[in-house]
Amino acid sequence: MRRHDLDWLRVSVFGLLIFYHVGMFFVPWEYHIKNNVEYSWLRYPMLFLNQWRLPILFVISGMGTSYALNKRTGLQFSLERIKRLFLPLVVGMLLIVPPQVYIERIAYGQFMGTYFEFWPSKAFTGVYPEGNLSWHHLWFLPYLLLFSLALLPVFLYLRKHPGNRFISRIKKIVSNKYGLFWFLIPLFLYESLLEPFFNVTHALIGDWFAIANYATLFFYGFLLISVKEQFWKTVTQHRRFYLRCGLIGFTLFLSLILIFEDSIWIHFTEASLKVFNLWSWILALFGYAANYLNKQSKILTYSNEAVYPFYILHQTITIVAGYFIMNLSWGLLPKFFILSIATFGGSFIIYEFFIRRWKWIRPLFGLKLKKVTYPPSKQSRGSEAKVDPSF
């Protein structure tokens, strides 16, 4: 049974990802190229988004995996995951990411020459950052593929035994508004005990904190769908409570990192506030989306298919456009506006005219061979999915 609120959340969070990557051009955090003026205050709204934007995407992907497995065998699911995740990753590393690396190299005087002097002869020599081969923002795809295949035996068991003791226990836990905070325990342990020793690299190899953290969130998504309507009932009824928890959690977290020096006790307190904050926002967003957004529309129909190609394309367009304005004397707002319009507009043009309409190009960007058809918008909210929402 399709939940349109998950589609709305997925589309909205990936839309925020585009604004987030535009913002990375202006904040004093490491990024591929930087504006000639950096704005320290912009870190705080960026930090707010950064707390929950990736976690909720992995939870939504885990939920989508449950829907995908309802229509496929384990083998069919595995082959479909490879086709939808690995193929676009390879295409992205060959065609989409190299312009980003090229722009970075010429921006900082590390390469002199045209793009076709860089690609393909230099584009795949060595591994980034020392070399040029990278998956950059497409790191989400290999992680999602790893989690999908590694957790598949567990998912198949849970699907085959929907009334097992574990699921029954989880259903009882999520029926209470406080019970959902039990899910914080593994996240707190990762944040407090793993994160200090394993920096997030998105390189997959050795990225133990990110793997443990995101795999658990992915598993949570599958688990919460497995308890069926009980989860949605709880988050819908108590969405205001979770929103208040999120507001309090982020306020305390921000105050802590601004006021206190780092120490072992501050570290554990920060870890607890961080996971409390991100989980509260995830629950609040699910609650409000379930209450207000579980409905189909023409905008959602189009956006739900477009979001994957937009994700693949967007950062390259942002970096290319950013290169041409990075040293101009314009202020933050004009540059942010230009970069946002260029990214959304460029992604739309490439998707609409060079991907969506071409049968054999579509699979290279994770789409089905034929254009997707949807049920009429007035069809019931529980109508069966025509698009696999597991990305």
Side-chain angles (χ1 to χ4, degrees):
M1 304 297 288
R2 190 169 192 83
R3 293 200 61 96
H4 300 300
D5 50 341
L6 289 183
D7 292 332
W8 278 114
L9 277 176
R10 174 173 166 266
V11 168
S12 300
V13 174
F14 273 112
L16 287 174
L17 175 66
I18 293 179
F19 287 116
Y20 183 86
H21 282 159
V22 170
M24 287 294 294
F25 184 68
F26 300 98
V27 293
W29 294 342
E30 184 178 350
Y31 196 54
H32 306 293
I33 62 171
K34 305 297 294 185
N35 188 45
N36 56 358
V37 177
E38 296 177 357
Y39 300 88
S40 297
W41 64 267
L42 196 56
R43 289 179 296 182
Y44 302 116
M46 296 278 286
L47 182 62
F48 169 71
L49 287 179
N50 200 35
Q51 292 284 290
W52 51 263
R53 65 180 181 88
L54 284 173
I56 197 172
L57 282 177
F58 278 105
V59 175
I60 292 172
S61 296
M63 291 177 168
T65 297
S66 178
Y67 289 117
L69 271 175
N70 284 337
K71 302 177 289 182
R72 297 173 177 89
T73 66
L75 179 60
Q76 289 172 334
F77 174 81
S78 300
L79 294 175
E80 185 271 344
R81 291 294 83 187
I82 292 171
K83 182 174 69 174
R84 285 205 74 207
L85 296 173
F86 185 70
L87 178 58
L89 174 64
V90 172
V91 171
M93 292 178 68
L94 292 176
L95 300 176
I96 307 301
V97 172
Q100 299 181 39
V101 182
Y102 170 73
I103 290 293
E104 180 178 350
R105 298 304 184 218
I106 64 172
Y108 297 110
Q110 299 166 343
F111 180 81
M112 302 293 290
T114 67
Y115 179 69
F116 290 104
E117 291 173 320
F118 174 81
W119 186 94
S121 61
K122 304 290 185 183
F124 310 113
T125 57
V127 177
Y128 186 90
E130 291 78 16
N132 296 323
L133 178 64
S134 176
W135 50 45
H136 270 36
H137 67 294
L138 301 182
W139 67 267
F140 184 76
L141 302 183
Y143 281 65
L144 197 55
L145 179 61
L146 171 66
F147 302 156
S148 299
L149 299 181
L151 292 172
L152 181 58
V154 179
F155 293 160
L156 291 175
Y157 175 83
L158 293 177
R159 185 185 70 172
K160 189 176 180 181
H161 304 88
N164 69 79
R165 188 177 301 177
F166 177 66
I167 293 296
S168 299
R169 178 62 180 163
I170 294 298
K171 185 178 293 188
K172 186 175 295 186
I173 288 173
V174 304
S175 64
N176 185 289
K177 69 177 181 180
Y178 301 107
L180 280 163
F181 288 111
W182 284 104
F183 288 80
L184 291 179
I185 294 176
L187 303 180
F188 169 73
L189 294 176
Y190 303 150
E191 192 71 40
S192 57
L193 302 177
L194 276 181
E195 191 273 339
F197 304 101
F198 299 99
N199 292 328
V200 176
T201 64
H202 297 154
L204 196 61
I205 305 299
D207 198 14
W208 295 115
F209 166 69
I211 290 173
N213 195 48
Y214 295 145
T216 300
L217 291 162
F218 182 74
F219 177 69
Y220 282 175
F222 189 95
L223 203 58
L224 293 173
I225 285 293
S226 299
V227 301
K228 303 189 186 298
E229 289 303 314
Q230 186 58 62
F231 170 70
W232 302 110
K233 180 180 178 182
T234 301
V235 293
T236 303
Q237 288 181 345
H238 303 292
R239 61 190 184 276
R240 295 181 183 87
F241 167 74
Y242 296 127
L243 177 61
R244 288 194 294 270
C245 288
L247 292 170
I248 294 170
F250 184 70
T251 301
L252 292 176
F253 173 78
L254 190 59
S255 301
L256 185 73
I257 63 176
L258 289 176
I259 295 172
F260 295 96
E261 296 278 338
D262 193 21
S263 69
I264 186 169
W265 299 113
I266 294 299
H267 169 71
F268 280 103
T269 305
E270 180 182 328
S272 62
L273 287 174
K274 181 178 180 180
V275 297
F276 174 76
N277 171 66
L278 72 87
W279 191 242
S280 297
W281 282 105
I282 288 173
L283 297 179
L285 288 167
F286 279 135
Y288 278 94
N291 195 66
Y292 296 108
L293 298 178
N294 196 11
K295 61 187 75 172
Q296 178 64 290
S297 78
K298 291 182 179 180
I299 295 175
L300 181 61
T301 297
Y302 186 89
S303 301
N304 199 37
E305 185 184 48
V307 66
Y308 196 175
F310 268 57
Y311 159 70
I312 293 171
L313 295 168
H314 80 277
Q315 184 166 282
T316 297
I317 299 172
T318 300
I319 289 175
V320 171
Y323 173 74
F324 290 101
I325 66 171
M326 61 188 293
N327 292 316
L328 299 181
S329 58
W330 302 349
L332 170 64
L333 288 181
K335 286 188 175 182
F336 193 96
F337 179 77
I338 290 294
L339 276 186
S340 300
I341 294 298
T343 303
F344 278 101
S347 299
F348 169 76
I349 290 170
I350 296 172
Y351 166 69
E352 179 63 28
F353 298 104
F354 299 99
I355 297 174
R356 176 175 175 264
R357 304 171 185 229
W358 299 91
K359 178 179 179 181
W360 301 109
I361 300 297
R362 292 171 59 87
L364 303 182
F365 291 85
L367 305 180
K368 294 181 179 181
L369 281 174
K370 294 181 179 180
K371 285 192 286 188
V372 177
T373 57
Y374 291 83
S377 58
K378 62 182 179 181
Q379 191 166 332
S380 68
R381 285 157 47 153
S383 57
E384 184 181 354
K386 298 287 185 175
V387 169
D388 179 0
S390 51
F391 164 71

